[in-house]
Amino acid sequence: MTETLQDLRQKIDETDDALHALVMRRAELAERVGRAKAEAGEKQIFRPVRETQILRRLLQNHKGGLSKAVIIRLWRELISACANLQSPMTVAVFMPERGMGNLELTRDYFGSFTALLPCKSVNLVLKELTQGEADLAVLSLQDDQSCWWYALAQERRRAVAVFAKLPVTGTADNGRIVFALGKVPFEASGDDRTLLVVETDGSISLGTLDLVLKAGGIATNAIYDSFSPDMTRKAYLFEVEGFLESDDARLAAVVKKEDGKIIMTRVIGGFPAPFV
């Protein structure tokens, strides 16, 4: 017997009812998780690695007409809404003018209803994140011509780390390199990219430095550079394939080999490999 249009619409209604019931159940479970964390004394509500692992599991089983990008957007909205039930989040975002900056990418990742704190300068974004009302932040490497990643590598910013690259599906349409930051630890998700800052005395070229790192077993891709304020040192921001920590023995070996040319190496976080 051929299904009628009315039959199909009835099945869609039934499916919507079932989906809504499951969404309500997920929200209720998220609230219970929040209470369990509070009872256990766990202060870190936001767990980006856990969220990444959820999406990877779902995408492995995904099929049909909906693209993976649609599934990611749906679940990012749901995940963020449930995280806000546990503890409301505020995200500081660079927005020099209304509607400009990283607003769209921030909404894509943190959801439509997460509170945003617009900031007219990168320094204000970092101040709100480290001392003010913000729990998380979004910045691009091109924002305000400010080398915030260099500052992040300094002692005073070490409590903050990059944990995501936006969008999570790949490169932004406008070519901007955008990251999410927070007072959360950089943890391995199983398929990661690490952001490594290398500060030099200025006597070693980028090409030589890249070869030295690769020879030391660290696969790198330089994505940005900057001089120190007094112009006596030069720093490079590398994207490293895999999960790397600041105390990795390979970094110590590279520093020792270059005998004073490399002043500092520091991991400022990283991000899961893009989904699609």
Side-chain angles (χ1 to χ4, degrees):
M1 182 177 177
T2 303
E3 289 181 304
T4 66
L5 181 58
Q6 185 59 38
D7 291 335
L8 293 171
R9 285 174 173 166
Q10 178 64 32
K11 289 183 177 180
I12 287 177
D13 289 345
E14 292 170 358
T15 302
D16 284 342
D17 290 342
L19 282 172
H20 184 217
L22 289 172
V23 167
M24 289 189 292
R25 174 167 169 73
R26 194 193 194 286
E28 190 267 335
L29 287 169
E31 290 179 300
R32 286 164 58 184
V33 167
R35 290 193 293 270
K37 286 180 178 179
E39 291 172 2
E42 185 175 333
K43 295 181 179 180
Q44 186 184 338
I45 299 297
F46 182 62
R47 299 299 300 267
V49 168
R50 165 71 175 152
E51 296 179 0
T52 295
Q53 292 168 342
I54 289 171
L55 283 168
R56 282 185 183 153
R57 188 188 73 246
L58 294 173
L59 293 176
Q60 283 177 350
N61 299 321
H62 181 64
K63 59 184 178 181
L66 287 179
S67 70
K68 289 184 177 181
V70 170
I71 298 302
I72 290 169
R73 181 64 188 271
L74 285 171
W75 254 265
R76 284 263 17 119
E77 192 76 42
L78 180 59
I79 287 170
S80 295
C82 288
N84 274 295
L85 288 176
Q86 295 182 33
S87 179
M89 298 181 295
T90 299
V91 182
V93 56
F94 176 61
M95 196 183 302
E97 297 180 31
R98 186 175 179 84
M100 295 184 64
N102 305 313
L103 178 61
E104 184 176 350
L105 288 175
T106 303
R107 284 295 186 207
D108 282 349
Y109 187 85
F110 290 106
S112 303
F113 298 99
T114 296
L116 299 187
L117 183 61
C119 299
K120 292 190 175 182
S121 73
V122 170
N123 284 338
L124 185 55
V125 170
L126 292 174
K127 183 177 180 181
E128 290 291 353
L129 180 58
T130 56
Q131 305 172 30
E133 300 178 9
D135 305 290
L136 306 161
V138 172
L139 288 170
S140 84
L141 295 183
Q142 293 82 7
D143 282 342
D144 202 24
Q145 301 300 309
S146 173
C147 294
W148 54 266
W149 53 270
Y150 198 173
L152 206 65
Q154 307 305 312
E155 188 70 28
R156 61 193 176 91
R157 302 286 192 199
R158 290 188 69 184
V160 174
V162 173
F163 61 82
K165 185 178 182 181
L166 310 183
V168 295
T169 52
T171 306
D173 292 339
N174 56 11
R176 292 165 67 84
I177 303 174
V178 184
F179 296 110
L181 308 80
K183 289 176 279 189
V184 296
F186 173 44
E187 300 173 313
S189 73
D191 185 9
D192 301 286
R193 305 293 181 266
T194 300
L195 292 177
L196 172 69
V197 176
V198 180
E199 185 183 51
T200 73
D201 64 359
S203 66
I204 183 171
S205 69
L206 172 59
T208 300
L209 183 58
D210 190 50
L211 289 173
V212 167
L213 289 168
K214 285 183 170 64
I218 303 171
T220 59
N221 174 37
I223 55 177
Y224 233 67
D225 61 66
S226 175
F227 281 101
S228 62
D230 61 6
M231 302 297 287
T232 61
R233 303 179 305 281
K234 191 165 187 180
Y236 299 93
L237 177 62
F238 290 95
E239 180 181 314
V240 180
E241 187 173 341
F243 180 78
L244 186 72
E245 296 181 283
S246 288
D247 60 357
D248 191 291
R250 292 172 294 174
L251 289 175
V254 167
V255 172
K256 182 178 180 180
K257 182 179 179 181
E258 291 308 304
D259 192 26
K261 294 180 181 179
I262 297 177
I263 299 169
M264 173 190 71
T265 61
R266 186 154 296 149
V267 170
I268 61 167
F271 52 92
F275 287 112
V276 293

